[in-house]
Amino acid sequence: GESVGLHLPTLSVQEGDNSIINCAYSNSASDYFIWYKQESGKGPQFIIDIRSNMDKRQGQRVTVLLNKTVKHLSLQIAATQPGDSAVYFCAEAPSGSARQLTFGSGTQLTVLP
Amino acid sequence: DSGVTQTPKHLITATGQRVTLRCSPRSGDLSVYWYQQSLDQGLQFLIQYYNGEERAKGNILERFSAQQFPDLHSELNLSSLELGDSALYFCASSVGDRDDQPQHFGDGTRLSIL
């Protein structure tokens, strides 16, 4: 079946550097995308979302880029901090009446001191 | 704090038993979603309710059922439990059911089947 997948299962970055987490999706019917951060023992925490009529959206220290041509999504974290260490998931929702999310497999981000 | 409350945090039980997981959505949210997170399957959508009515079903087993009550809290019932049902079960809520609003997750119930 169609699914959302991640290119890299783990990512280590130096504190202060920028991080880029990538995600590929295969469902062309998806038109809403979300990035979540999950820390150990906690539920997924909403970071940022983007609709398919946009290519880029910025939040506080985070930017999401959407390339519908190649079905690719990325999350950029500026000036990565130790508190950013977590598993990051992208999720997609198809257009239609229900907004159930399909999650990618996740990327473990580790911030090195 | 997402505002979504799940109880209990941990549940340990045996095969063949039945359990009920509870979720209180964020104030004002009408939609409730249930997800299962296991090591081999990742986060998978189970079922969605909106204002008391079932809206969508995902990979939910027939042994599992859910409902949303008039006060909007939801319960997920898991019966005839098997070892493979051990997982984290998350509830999420959102304002509506069709709009592009993010779902906010609780901290989950960890279910362990012995």
Side-chain angles (χ1 to χ4, degrees), chain A residues 8-26:
Chain A
L8 299 173
T10 60
L11 177 65
S12 296
V13 298
Q14 291 294 136
E15 182 178 354
D17 286 352
N18 297 335
S19 303
I20 300 176
I21 302 171
N22 295 302
C23 176
Y25 68 94
S26 57

Side-chain angles (χ1 to χ4, degrees), chain B residues 93-110:
Chain B
S93 71
S94 68
V95 175
D97 72 332
R98 304 180 186 210
D99 51 342
D100 293 337
Q101 294 294 327
Q103 296 173 27
H104 296 272
F105 284 74
D107 283 338
T109 293
R110 182 176 293 279

Side-chain angles (χ1 to χ4, degrees), chain B residues 45-106:
Chain B
F45 168 74
L46 296 177
I47 196 164
Q48 176 200 4
Y49 279 82
Y50 173 74
N51 205 20
E53 294 186 0
E54 184 184 301
R55 269 289 192 260
K57 264 187 173 180
N59 300 317
I60 187 166
L61 300 171
E62 287 191 8
R63 300 184 284 111
F64 296 0
S65 65
Q67 54 184 326
Q68 186 180 28
F69 294 87
D71 67 353
L72 301 177
H73 91 270
S74 178
E75 292 181 355
L76 179 67
N77 301 297
L78 315 176
S79 62
S80 303
L81 287 168
E82 302 174 359
L83 293 176
D85 297 328
S86 294
L88 275 164
Y89 291 85
F90 288 104
C91 168
S93 71
S94 68
V95 175
D97 72 332
R98 304 180 186 210
D99 51 342
D100 293 337
Q101 294 294 327
Q103 296 173 27
H104 296 272
F105 284 74

Side-chain angles (χ1 to χ4, degrees), chain A:
Chain A
E2 296 181 311
S3 63
V4 176
L6 294 174
H7 296 301
L8 299 173
T10 60
L11 177 65
S12 296
V13 298
Q14 291 294 136
E15 182 178 354
D17 286 352
N18 297 335
S19 303
I20 300 176
I21 302 171
N22 295 302
C23 176
Y25 68 94
S26 57
N27 188 350
S28 56
S30 294
D31 64 355
Y32 179 56
F33 304 87
I34 309 178
W35 280 100
Y36 285 94
K37 170 187 180 183
Q38 188 175 23
E39 297 174 283
S40 180
K42 302 234 174 198
Q45 175 188 353
F46 169 75
I47 302 173
I48 192 167
D49 58 359
I50 188 168
R51 293 157 182 74
S52 60
N53 61 351
M54 303 170 69
D55 297 323
K56 178 180 179 179
R57 191 170 188 210
Q58 289 184 292
Q60 186 177 12
R61 284 202 305 119
V62 294
T63 301
V64 56
L65 298 177
L66 175 62
N67 185 330
K68 295 180 287 295
T69 302
V70 295
K71 297 190 182 69
H72 184 267
L73 196 66
S74 68
L75 177 70
Q76 300 178 2
I77 304 173
T80 313
Q81 302 169 358
D84 295 328
S85 292
V87 177
Y88 288 80
F89 293 96
C90 63
E92 59 174 321
S95 59
S97 62
R99 283 313 202 178
Q100 66 258 38
L101 298 175
T102 298
F103 281 82
S105 55
T107 292
Q108 172 71 57
L109 175 65
T110 301
V111 181
L112 305 172

Side-chain angles (χ1 to χ4, degrees), chain B residues 10-29:
Chain B
H10 304 277
L11 202 49
I12 301 174
T13 189
T15 56
Q17 295 299 305
R18 182 179 190 276
V19 296
T20 298
L21 312 183
R22 182 188 168 101
C23 169
S24 294
R26 293 189 319 162
S27 177
D29 285 358

